Amino acid sequence: MANERTLSIIKPDAVAKNVIGEIYTRFEKAGLTIVAAKMMHLTQEQAEGFYAEHKERPFFNDLVAFMTSGPAVVQVLEGEGAILKNRDLMGATNPKEADAGTIRADFASSIDANAVHGSDSAASAEREIAYFFNDSEICPRG
Ligand code: GDP
Ligand code: MG
């Protein structure tokens, strides 16, 4: 499988629960490397632009309100098959359906407040990484 990069967000609910470190440990134990990271309190405009693909969905306003409700931590993960690997670590969108041991099963409380975001494809990863990071902010290890 190819070396890939994916965009991950620790959402405001997980930041509020003080589990940033526990989630980072899961990435690292799975062989993913954090090559860029920043904490940011998203503006309405940033959240709307990031989730533009969902703008016609009934939950869009709730999603934007939640994502702007407190600070989030945004990172780029790198590794073999990073996009799918991160989705596997995250678990299903609805934490009630997430497999035991996944981040959402362990830390999410609802389908809105579901702890993490992860890019769902190579095309999404490319767009989402560029949405938050300049090339100079990405620091790959040798
Ligand atoms: P993800 O890729 O697993 O995060 O899921 P999606 O891309 O389908 O949806 C983006 C985000 O919108 C999810 O992580 C949820 O926070 C939220 N969301 C998705 N579906 C629903 C829904 O049916 N109801 C509500 N309230 N929020 C949803
Ligand atoms: Mg998605």
Side-chain angles (χ1 to χ4, degrees):
M1 203 175 278
N3 196 49
E4 293 176 338
R5 287 178 183 170
T6 190
L7 193 280
S8 161
I9 302 177
I10 300 179
K11 295 185 178 183
D13 60 315
V15 173
K17 284 181 182 160
N18 222 18
V19 292
I20 298 167
E22 290 196 49
I23 293 173
Y24 268 24
T25 298
R26 291 178 186 219
F27 297 151
E28 293 180 336
K29 287 213 162 123
L32 295 171
T33 303
I34 297 157
V35 296
K38 61 175 98 170
M39 182 175 278
M40 39 194 318
H41 193 144
L42 296 184
T43 64
Q44 173 102 2
E45 188 181 31
Q46 284 172 322
E48 286 177 356
F50 182 72
Y51 279 117
E53 66 179 304
H54 294 308
K55 70 172 180 292
E56 305 304 332
R57 310 281 288 274
F59 57 81
F60 182 70
N61 288 344
D62 288 344
L63 174 60
V64 170
F66 166 65
M67 290 300 290
T68 58
S69 66
V73 185
V74 187
Q75 48 278 323
V76 178
L77 308 177
E78 184 175 86
E80 292 289 305
I83 297 165
L84 197 56
K85 191 176 274 187
N86 182 44
R87 295 292 306 196
D88 287 345
L89 291 172
M90 290 163 58
T93 306
N94 185 344
K96 290 189 188 133
E97 292 163 11
D99 288 343
T102 60
I103 293 168
R104 282 168 165 168
D106 291 342
F107 302 120
S109 33
S110 69
I111 195 165
D112 304 86
N114 64 358
V116 280
H117 168 84
S119 308
D120 64 4
S121 66
S124 300
E126 191 175 345
R127 182 187 83 82
E128 293 175 359
I129 291 168
Y131 192 82
F132 286 116
F133 295 97
N134 299 322
D135 283 350
S136 65
E137 294 175 302
I138 300 176
C139 306
R141 251 64 94 237

Short mmCIF file of all heavy atoms in Angstrom, two decimals, residues 9-73:
data_model
loop_
_atom_site.label_atom_id
_atom_site.label_comp_id
_atom_site.label_asym_id
_atom_site.label_seq_id
_atom_site.Cartn_x
_atom_site.Cartn_y
_atom_site.Cartn_z
N ILE A 9 -9.04 15.67 12.29
CA ILE A 9 -9.41 16.72 13.25
C ILE A 9 -9.87 16.05 14.54
O ILE A 9 -10.72 15.15 14.50
CB ILE A 9 -10.54 17.63 12.72
CG1 ILE A 9 -10.15 18.28 11.40
CG2 ILE A 9 -10.89 18.70 13.76
CD1 ILE A 9 -11.27 19.14 10.77
N ILE A 10 -9.30 16.48 15.66
CA ILE A 10 -9.87 16.13 16.96
C ILE A 10 -10.89 17.23 17.25
O ILE A 10 -10.55 18.41 17.37
CB ILE A 10 -8.79 16.04 18.05
CG1 ILE A 10 -7.76 14.96 17.66
CG2 ILE A 10 -9.43 15.73 19.41
CD1 ILE A 10 -6.62 14.79 18.65
N LYS A 11 -12.16 16.84 17.25
CA LYS A 11 -13.27 17.80 17.28
C LYS A 11 -13.43 18.40 18.69
O LYS A 11 -12.89 17.88 19.67
CB LYS A 11 -14.56 17.10 16.81
CG LYS A 11 -14.52 16.65 15.35
CD LYS A 11 -15.87 16.07 14.92
CE LYS A 11 -15.88 15.65 13.46
NZ LYS A 11 -17.22 15.15 13.05
N PRO A 12 -14.22 19.50 18.78
CA PRO A 12 -14.33 20.21 20.07
C PRO A 12 -14.77 19.34 21.24
O PRO A 12 -14.34 19.58 22.38
CB PRO A 12 -15.37 21.30 19.77
CG PRO A 12 -15.19 21.59 18.30
CD PRO A 12 -14.87 20.24 17.68
N ASP A 13 -15.59 18.32 21.01
CA ASP A 13 -16.03 17.48 22.14
C ASP A 13 -14.86 16.71 22.74
O ASP A 13 -14.73 16.59 23.95
CB ASP A 13 -17.15 16.53 21.73
CG ASP A 13 -16.76 15.58 20.60
OD1 ASP A 13 -16.14 16.03 19.61
OD2 ASP A 13 -17.09 14.38 20.69
N ALA A 14 -13.98 16.19 21.89
CA ALA A 14 -12.85 15.40 22.38
C ALA A 14 -11.80 16.30 23.01
O ALA A 14 -11.17 15.92 24.01
CB ALA A 14 -12.25 14.57 21.24
N VAL A 15 -11.62 17.52 22.47
CA VAL A 15 -10.71 18.47 23.11
C VAL A 15 -11.24 18.81 24.51
O VAL A 15 -10.49 18.80 25.50
CB VAL A 15 -10.54 19.74 22.26
CG1 VAL A 15 -9.74 20.81 23.00
CG2 VAL A 15 -9.85 19.40 20.93
N ALA A 16 -12.56 19.03 24.62
CA ALA A 16 -13.15 19.36 25.92
C ALA A 16 -13.02 18.21 26.91
O ALA A 16 -12.92 18.43 28.12
CB ALA A 16 -14.62 19.73 25.74
N LYS A 17 -13.01 16.97 26.41
CA LYS A 17 -12.85 15.79 27.29
C LYS A 17 -11.40 15.54 27.68
O LYS A 17 -11.11 14.60 28.41
CB LYS A 17 -13.39 14.54 26.60
CG LYS A 17 -14.89 14.45 26.58
CD LYS A 17 -15.35 13.15 25.90
CE LYS A 17 -16.86 13.09 25.85
NZ LYS A 17 -17.35 12.16 24.82
N ASN A 18 -10.48 16.34 27.14
CA ASN A 18 -9.06 16.25 27.51
C ASN A 18 -8.45 14.91 27.08
O ASN A 18 -7.68 14.30 27.83
CB ASN A 18 -8.92 16.43 29.03
CG ASN A 18 -7.74 17.30 29.40
OD1 ASN A 18 -7.22 18.03 28.56
ND2 ASN A 18 -7.30 17.23 30.64
N VAL A 19 -8.81 14.47 25.87
CA VAL A 19 -8.28 13.18 25.38
C VAL A 19 -7.44 13.36 24.11
O VAL A 19 -7.30 12.42 23.33
CB VAL A 19 -9.41 12.14 25.18
CG1 VAL A 19 -9.99 11.75 26.54
CG2 VAL A 19 -10.50 12.65 24.23
N ILE A 20 -6.88 14.55 23.90
CA ILE A 20 -6.01 14.77 22.73
C ILE A 20 -4.87 13.75 22.75
O ILE A 20 -4.58 13.08 21.74
CB ILE A 20 -5.43 16.20 22.73
CG1 ILE A 20 -6.54 17.25 22.63
CG2 ILE A 20 -4.44 16.36 21.57
CD1 ILE A 20 -6.05 18.67 22.93
N GLY A 21 -4.23 13.61 23.89
CA GLY A 21 -3.07 12.72 23.99
C GLY A 21 -3.44 11.26 23.75
O GLY A 21 -2.71 10.53 23.07
N GLU A 22 -4.58 10.84 24.29
CA GLU A 22 -5.00 9.44 24.08
C GLU A 22 -5.26 9.17 22.61
O GLU A 22 -4.95 8.10 22.10
CB GLU A 22 -6.27 9.14 24.89
CG GLU A 22 -5.99 9.12 26.37
CD GLU A 22 -7.12 8.44 27.15
OE1 GLU A 22 -7.53 7.33 26.76
OE2 GLU A 22 -7.59 9.04 28.12
N ILE A 23 -5.83 10.15 21.91
CA ILE A 23 -6.11 9.96 20.48
C ILE A 23 -4.79 9.98 19.70
O ILE A 23 -4.58 9.14 18.81
CB ILE A 23 -7.13 11.00 19.99
CG1 ILE A 23 -8.49 10.74 20.67
CG2 ILE A 23 -7.26 10.97 18.47
CD1 ILE A 23 -9.56 11.80 20.42
N TYR A 24 -3.89 10.88 20.03
CA TYR A 24 -2.58 10.90 19.36
C TYR A 24 -1.84 9.57 19.56
O TYR A 24 -1.19 9.07 18.64
CB TYR A 24 -1.73 12.07 19.89
CG TYR A 24 -1.87 13.36 19.10
CD1 TYR A 24 -3.00 13.63 18.33
CD2 TYR A 24 -0.86 14.32 19.12
CE1 TYR A 24 -3.11 14.81 17.61
CE2 TYR A 24 -0.97 15.50 18.39
CZ TYR A 24 -2.10 15.74 17.64
OH TYR A 24 -2.20 16.90 16.92
N THR A 25 -1.96 9.01 20.75
CA THR A 25 -1.30 7.72 21.02
C THR A 25 -1.84 6.63 20.08
O THR A 25 -1.08 5.80 19.59
CB THR A 25 -1.51 7.32 22.49
OG1 THR A 25 -0.89 8.32 23.29
CG2 THR A 25 -0.90 5.97 22.80
N ARG A 26 -3.13 6.67 19.83
CA ARG A 26 -3.70 5.66 18.92
C ARG A 26 -3.14 5.82 17.51
O ARG A 26 -2.84 4.82 16.84
CB ARG A 26 -5.23 5.76 18.91
CG ARG A 26 -5.79 5.29 20.23
CD ARG A 26 -7.29 5.40 20.29
NE ARG A 26 -7.70 5.07 21.64
CZ ARG A 26 -8.78 4.37 21.95
NH1 ARG A 26 -9.60 3.94 20.99
NH2 ARG A 26 -9.09 4.11 23.20
N PHE A 27 -3.01 7.06 17.05
CA PHE A 27 -2.42 7.27 15.72
C PHE A 27 -1.00 6.70 15.69
O PHE A 27 -0.62 5.97 14.78
CB PHE A 27 -2.35 8.76 15.38
CG PHE A 27 -3.68 9.48 15.28
CD1 PHE A 27 -3.77 10.84 15.58
CD2 PHE A 27 -4.83 8.82 14.87
CE1 PHE A 27 -4.98 11.52 15.47
CE2 PHE A 27 -6.05 9.50 14.76
CZ PHE A 27 -6.12 10.85 15.07
N GLU A 28 -0.23 7.06 16.70
CA GLU A 28 1.19 6.67 16.72
C GLU A 28 1.35 5.16 16.86
O GLU A 28 2.19 4.55 16.19
CB GLU A 28 1.92 7.43 17.83
CG GLU A 28 1.97 8.92 17.52
CD GLU A 28 2.67 9.76 18.57
OE1 GLU A 28 2.74 9.33 19.74
OE2 GLU A 28 3.13 10.85 18.23
N LYS A 29 0.53 4.53 17.72
CA LYS A 29 0.62 3.06 17.90
C LYS A 29 0.24 2.33 16.63
O LYS A 29 0.66 1.19 16.40
CB LYS A 29 -0.25 2.62 19.07
CG LYS A 29 0.35 3.03 20.41
CD LYS A 29 0.02 2.02 21.50
CE LYS A 29 0.96 2.20 22.68
NZ LYS A 29 0.29 2.46 23.94
N ALA A 30 -0.59 2.96 15.79
CA ALA A 30 -1.01 2.33 14.52
C ALA A 30 0.01 2.59 13.41
O ALA A 30 -0.20 2.19 12.27
CB ALA A 30 -2.38 2.87 14.12
N GLY A 31 1.09 3.27 13.74
CA GLY A 31 2.14 3.49 12.74
C GLY A 31 1.96 4.74 11.91
O GLY A 31 2.64 4.93 10.90
N LEU A 32 1.03 5.62 12.34
CA LEU A 32 0.86 6.89 11.63
C LEU A 32 1.74 7.95 12.30
O LEU A 32 1.87 7.97 13.53
CB LEU A 32 -0.61 7.33 11.68
CG LEU A 32 -1.57 6.38 10.93
CD1 LEU A 32 -3.02 6.77 11.21
CD2 LEU A 32 -1.29 6.40 9.44
N THR A 33 2.32 8.80 11.49
CA THR A 33 3.20 9.87 11.98
C THR A 33 2.47 11.20 11.83
O THR A 33 1.89 11.49 10.78
CB THR A 33 4.49 9.89 11.14
OG1 THR A 33 5.10 8.60 11.22
CG2 THR A 33 5.47 10.92 11.66
N ILE A 34 2.50 12.02 12.89
CA ILE A 34 1.89 13.35 12.83
C ILE A 34 2.93 14.28 12.21
O ILE A 34 3.97 14.53 12.80
CB ILE A 34 1.49 13.81 14.25
CG1 ILE A 34 0.42 12.85 14.83
CG2 ILE A 34 0.97 15.26 14.23
CD1 ILE A 34 0.33 12.83 16.33
N VAL A 35 2.65 14.75 10.99
CA VAL A 35 3.64 15.56 10.26
C VAL A 35 3.27 17.05 10.22
O VAL A 35 4.05 17.87 9.72
CB VAL A 35 3.91 15.02 8.84
CG1 VAL A 35 4.53 13.63 8.90
CG2 VAL A 35 2.65 15.03 7.98
N ALA A 36 2.10 17.39 10.76
CA ALA A 36 1.69 18.79 10.90
C ALA A 36 0.58 18.81 11.93
O ALA A 36 -0.19 17.85 12.03
CB ALA A 36 1.17 19.35 9.57
N ALA A 37 0.51 19.89 12.73
CA ALA A 37 -0.55 19.97 13.75
C ALA A 37 -0.76 21.41 14.16
O ALA A 37 0.19 22.20 14.24
CB ALA A 37 -0.16 19.15 14.98
N LYS A 38 -2.03 21.74 14.43
CA LYS A 38 -2.33 23.05 15.03
C LYS A 38 -3.65 23.00 15.77
O LYS A 38 -4.56 22.26 15.38
CB LYS A 38 -2.33 24.17 13.98
CG LYS A 38 -3.33 24.04 12.87
CD LYS A 38 -3.30 25.29 11.97
CE LYS A 38 -2.47 25.06 10.73
NZ LYS A 38 -2.59 26.13 9.72
N MET A 39 -3.74 23.78 16.85
CA MET A 39 -5.02 23.93 17.54
C MET A 39 -5.68 25.18 17.00
O MET A 39 -5.02 26.21 16.84
CB MET A 39 -4.82 24.03 19.05
CG MET A 39 -6.12 24.13 19.80
SD MET A 39 -5.89 24.10 21.60
CE MET A 39 -5.76 22.34 21.89
N MET A 40 -6.96 25.07 16.68
CA MET A 40 -7.67 26.24 16.18
C MET A 40 -9.14 26.21 16.56
O MET A 40 -9.74 25.14 16.63
CB MET A 40 -7.51 26.40 14.65
CG MET A 40 -7.55 25.15 13.86
SD MET A 40 -6.97 25.32 12.15
CE MET A 40 -7.65 26.84 11.57
N HIS A 41 -9.66 27.40 16.87
CA HIS A 41 -11.10 27.54 17.09
C HIS A 41 -11.68 27.99 15.76
O HIS A 41 -11.51 29.14 15.36
CB HIS A 41 -11.35 28.55 18.21
CG HIS A 41 -12.74 28.52 18.72
ND1 HIS A 41 -13.06 28.71 20.04
CD2 HIS A 41 -13.91 28.30 18.07
CE1 HIS A 41 -14.38 28.63 20.19
NE2 HIS A 41 -14.92 28.39 19.00
N LEU A 42 -12.32 27.07 15.05
CA LEU A 42 -12.79 27.36 13.68
C LEU A 42 -13.82 28.48 13.69
O LEU A 42 -14.69 28.53 14.55
CB LEU A 42 -13.42 26.13 13.04
CG LEU A 42 -12.54 24.90 12.80
CD1 LEU A 42 -13.36 23.83 12.07
CD2 LEU A 42 -11.30 25.25 12.00
N THR A 43 -13.70 29.35 12.69
CA THR A 43 -14.75 30.35 12.47
C THR A 43 -15.90 29.68 11.70
O THR A 43 -15.74 28.60 11.11
CB THR A 43 -14.23 31.51 11.62
OG1 THR A 43 -13.89 31.00 10.32
CG2 THR A 43 -13.01 32.17 12.24
N GLN A 44 -17.02 30.37 11.70
CA GLN A 44 -18.18 29.90 10.93
C GLN A 44 -17.79 29.68 9.47
O GLN A 44 -18.11 28.64 8.86
CB GLN A 44 -19.25 31.00 11.03
CG GLN A 44 -20.47 30.80 10.19
CD GLN A 44 -21.63 30.29 11.02
OE1 GLN A 44 -21.50 30.13 12.24
NE2 GLN A 44 -22.74 30.01 10.39
N GLU A 45 -17.08 30.63 8.91
CA GLU A 45 -16.67 30.55 7.50
C GLU A 45 -15.73 29.36 7.25
O GLU A 45 -15.88 28.64 6.26
CB GLU A 45 -15.97 31.86 7.13
CG GLU A 45 -15.66 32.00 5.66
CD GLU A 45 -14.93 33.32 5.37
OE1 GLU A 45 -14.18 33.80 6.26
OE2 GLU A 45 -15.13 33.86 4.27
N GLN A 46 -14.80 29.14 8.15
CA GLN A 46 -13.88 28.01 8.00
C GLN A 46 -14.64 26.68 8.08
O GLN A 46 -14.37 25.75 7.30
CB GLN A 46 -12.80 28.03 9.10
CG GLN A 46 -11.71 29.06 8.87
CD GLN A 46 -10.78 29.17 10.07
OE1 GLN A 46 -11.21 29.08 11.23
NE2 GLN A 46 -9.51 29.36 9.81
N ALA A 47 -15.56 26.56 9.02
CA ALA A 47 -16.30 25.30 9.18
C ALA A 47 -17.23 25.07 7.98
O ALA A 47 -17.33 23.96 7.46
CB ALA A 47 -17.10 25.32 10.48
N GLU A 48 -17.89 26.12 7.52
CA GLU A 48 -18.78 25.97 6.36
C GLU A 48 -17.99 25.57 5.11
O GLU A 48 -18.43 24.72 4.35
CB GLU A 48 -19.52 27.29 6.09
CG GLU A 48 -20.62 27.55 7.10
CD GLU A 48 -21.32 28.89 6.89
OE1 GLU A 48 -20.92 29.68 6.00
OE2 GLU A 48 -22.27 29.15 7.65
N GLY A 49 -16.84 26.17 4.92
CA GLY A 49 -16.02 25.84 3.75
C GLY A 49 -15.48 24.43 3.82
O GLY A 49 -15.46 23.69 2.83
N PHE A 50 -15.06 24.02 5.02
CA PHE A 50 -14.50 22.69 5.17
C PHE A 50 -15.56 21.63 4.85
O PHE A 50 -15.26 20.62 4.20
CB PHE A 50 -13.97 22.50 6.60
CG PHE A 50 -13.34 21.16 6.81
CD1 PHE A 50 -12.11 20.88 6.24
CD2 PHE A 50 -13.98 20.18 7.54
CE1 PHE A 50 -11.53 19.63 6.39
CE2 PHE A 50 -13.41 18.94 7.70
CZ PHE A 50 -12.18 18.66 7.12
N TYR A 51 -16.79 21.84 5.33
CA TYR A 51 -17.86 20.85 5.15
C TYR A 51 -18.78 21.22 3.99
O TYR A 51 -19.93 20.78 3.97
CB TYR A 51 -18.66 20.71 6.44
CG TYR A 51 -18.00 19.82 7.48
CD1 TYR A 51 -17.60 20.31 8.71
CD2 TYR A 51 -17.80 18.46 7.23
CE1 TYR A 51 -17.00 19.48 9.66
CE2 TYR A 51 -17.22 17.62 8.17
CZ TYR A 51 -16.83 18.14 9.38
OH TYR A 51 -16.25 17.31 10.31
N ALA A 52 -18.28 21.96 3.01
CA ALA A 52 -19.12 22.42 1.89
C ALA A 52 -19.87 21.28 1.20
O ALA A 52 -21.01 21.46 0.75
CB ALA A 52 -18.25 23.17 0.88
N GLU A 53 -19.25 20.09 1.15
CA GLU A 53 -19.91 18.96 0.47
C GLU A 53 -21.23 18.59 1.14
O GLU A 53 -22.08 17.92 0.55
CB GLU A 53 -18.99 17.73 0.42
CG GLU A 53 -18.71 17.15 1.80
CD GLU A 53 -17.81 15.92 1.80
OE1 GLU A 53 -18.15 14.95 1.13
OE2 GLU A 53 -16.77 15.95 2.48
N HIS A 54 -21.39 18.98 2.42
CA HIS A 54 -22.60 18.61 3.17
C HIS A 54 -23.60 19.76 3.24
O HIS A 54 -24.57 19.68 4.01
CB HIS A 54 -22.24 18.19 4.60
CG HIS A 54 -21.44 16.93 4.68
ND1 HIS A 54 -21.83 15.76 4.07
CD2 HIS A 54 -20.26 16.65 5.30
CE1 HIS A 54 -20.93 14.81 4.33
NE2 HIS A 54 -19.97 15.33 5.05
N LYS A 55 -23.41 20.83 2.48
CA LYS A 55 -24.21 22.03 2.76
C LYS A 55 -25.71 21.87 2.49
O LYS A 55 -26.50 22.62 3.05
CB LYS A 55 -23.63 23.28 2.09
CG LYS A 55 -23.71 23.37 0.62
CD LYS A 55 -23.25 24.79 0.22
CE LYS A 55 -23.29 25.01 -1.26
NZ LYS A 55 -22.28 24.20 -1.98
N GLU A 56 -26.09 20.89 1.69
CA GLU A 56 -27.52 20.66 1.47
C GLU A 56 -28.12 19.67 2.47
O GLU A 56 -29.32 19.38 2.42
CB GLU A 56 -27.77 20.12 0.04
CG GLU A 56 -27.21 21.01 -1.07
CD GLU A 56 -27.72 22.44 -1.02
OE1 GLU A 56 -28.83 22.68 -0.53
OE2 GLU A 56 -26.96 23.34 -1.45
N ARG A 57 -27.32 19.10 3.34
CA ARG A 57 -27.82 18.08 4.26
C ARG A 57 -28.57 18.73 5.42
O ARG A 57 -28.24 19.85 5.84
CB ARG A 57 -26.66 17.23 4.82
CG ARG A 57 -25.72 16.67 3.75
CD ARG A 57 -26.27 15.45 3.06
NE ARG A 57 -26.26 14.28 3.91
CZ ARG A 57 -25.22 13.46 4.06
NH1 ARG A 57 -24.08 13.71 3.42
NH2 ARG A 57 -25.31 12.40 4.83
N PRO A 58 -29.57 18.03 5.97
CA PRO A 58 -30.37 18.65 7.05
C PRO A 58 -29.56 18.95 8.31
O PRO A 58 -29.93 19.83 9.08
CB PRO A 58 -31.45 17.59 7.34
CG PRO A 58 -30.96 16.33 6.72
CD PRO A 58 -30.06 16.71 5.59
N PHE A 59 -28.45 18.26 8.51
CA PHE A 59 -27.67 18.46 9.73
C PHE A 59 -26.57 19.50 9.57
O PHE A 59 -25.78 19.72 10.49
CB PHE A 59 -27.07 17.12 10.20
CG PHE A 59 -26.19 16.43 9.18
CD1 PHE A 59 -24.87 16.81 8.99
CD2 PHE A 59 -26.70 15.39 8.41
CE1 PHE A 59 -24.07 16.17 8.06
CE2 PHE A 59 -25.90 14.74 7.47
CZ PHE A 59 -24.58 15.14 7.29
N PHE A 60 -26.51 20.18 8.39
CA PHE A 60 -25.37 21.08 8.12
C PHE A 60 -25.22 22.19 9.18
O PHE A 60 -24.13 22.43 9.70
CB PHE A 60 -25.50 21.68 6.72
CG PHE A 60 -24.35 22.57 6.34
CD1 PHE A 60 -23.09 22.06 6.08
CD2 PHE A 60 -24.53 23.95 6.23
CE1 PHE A 60 -22.03 22.88 5.71
CE2 PHE A 60 -23.47 24.77 5.86
CZ PHE A 60 -22.22 24.24 5.61
N ASN A 61 -26.33 22.85 9.52
CA ASN A 61 -26.23 23.96 10.48
C ASN A 61 -25.77 23.47 11.85
O ASN A 61 -24.96 24.12 12.52
CB ASN A 61 -27.56 24.71 10.60
CG ASN A 61 -27.85 25.54 9.35
OD1 ASN A 61 -26.95 25.79 8.54
ND2 ASN A 61 -29.11 25.94 9.19
N ASP A 62 -26.30 22.30 12.27
CA ASP A 62 -25.87 21.72 13.55
C ASP A 62 -24.39 21.37 13.52
O ASP A 62 -23.67 21.57 14.50
CB ASP A 62 -26.67 20.45 13.87
CG ASP A 62 -28.10 20.74 14.25
OD1 ASP A 62 -28.42 21.90 14.56
OD2 ASP A 62 -28.92 19.79 14.24
N LEU A 63 -23.96 20.83 12.37
CA LEU A 63 -22.56 20.43 12.23
C LEU A 63 -21.63 21.65 12.34
O LEU A 63 -20.63 21.62 13.07
CB LEU A 63 -22.38 19.73 10.88
CG LEU A 63 -20.96 19.34 10.46
CD1 LEU A 63 -20.34 18.39 11.46
CD2 LEU A 63 -21.00 18.70 9.06
N VAL A 64 -21.99 22.72 11.65
CA VAL A 64 -21.17 23.94 11.69
C VAL A 64 -21.19 24.54 13.11
O VAL A 64 -20.15 24.94 13.65
CB VAL A 64 -21.63 24.96 10.63
CG1 VAL A 64 -20.96 26.31 10.83
CG2 VAL A 64 -21.35 24.41 9.23
N ALA A 65 -22.35 24.55 13.75
CA ALA A 65 -22.45 25.08 15.12
C ALA A 65 -21.56 24.27 16.07
O ALA A 65 -20.84 24.83 16.90
CB ALA A 65 -23.90 25.06 15.60
N PHE A 66 -21.60 22.96 15.90
CA PHE A 66 -20.77 22.11 16.77
C PHE A 66 -19.28 22.33 16.52
O PHE A 66 -18.49 22.48 17.46
CB PHE A 66 -21.15 20.64 16.57
CG PHE A 66 -20.15 19.70 17.15
CD1 PHE A 66 -19.93 19.65 18.51
CD2 PHE A 66 -19.38 18.89 16.33
CE1 PHE A 66 -18.97 18.81 19.06
CE2 PHE A 66 -18.42 18.05 16.86
CZ PHE A 66 -18.21 18.02 18.23
N MET A 67 -18.90 22.38 15.25
CA MET A 67 -17.47 22.50 14.92
C MET A 67 -16.88 23.85 15.33
O MET A 67 -15.66 23.99 15.44
CB MET A 67 -17.24 22.24 13.43
CG MET A 67 -17.46 20.79 13.01
SD MET A 67 -16.39 19.60 13.85
CE MET A 67 -14.79 20.00 13.13
N THR A 68 -17.76 24.86 15.53
CA THR A 68 -17.29 26.18 15.96
C THR A 68 -17.51 26.40 17.46
O THR A 68 -17.31 27.50 17.96
CB THR A 68 -18.00 27.30 15.17
OG1 THR A 68 -19.42 27.18 15.36
CG2 THR A 68 -17.70 27.22 13.69
N SER A 69 -17.92 25.35 18.18
CA SER A 69 -18.31 25.50 19.59
C SER A 69 -17.12 25.56 20.55
O SER A 69 -17.29 25.89 21.72
CB SER A 69 -19.24 24.36 20.00
OG SER A 69 -18.55 23.11 19.98
N GLY A 70 -15.93 25.23 20.08
CA GLY A 70 -14.74 25.26 20.94
C GLY A 70 -13.53 24.90 20.10
O GLY A 70 -13.66 24.60 18.91
N PRO A 71 -12.35 24.91 20.72
CA PRO A 71 -11.14 24.61 19.96
C PRO A 71 -11.11 23.16 19.46
O PRO A 71 -11.64 22.25 20.11
CB PRO A 71 -10.01 24.89 20.94
CG PRO A 71 -10.63 24.88 22.30
CD PRO A 71 -12.07 25.28 22.12
N ALA A 72 -10.46 22.98 18.32
CA ALA A 72 -10.23 21.67 17.72
C ALA A 72 -8.73 21.55 17.47
O ALA A 72 -8.00 22.55 17.51
CB ALA A 72 -11.00 21.57 16.40
N VAL A 73 -8.26 20.33 17.26
CA VAL A 73 -6.86 20.13 16.90
C VAL A 73 -6.83 19.47 15.52
O VAL A 73 -7.46 18.43 15.30
CB VAL A 73 -6.10 19.27 17.92
CG1 VAL A 73 -4.62 19.19 17.56
CG2 VAL A 73 -6.26 19.83 19.32
#
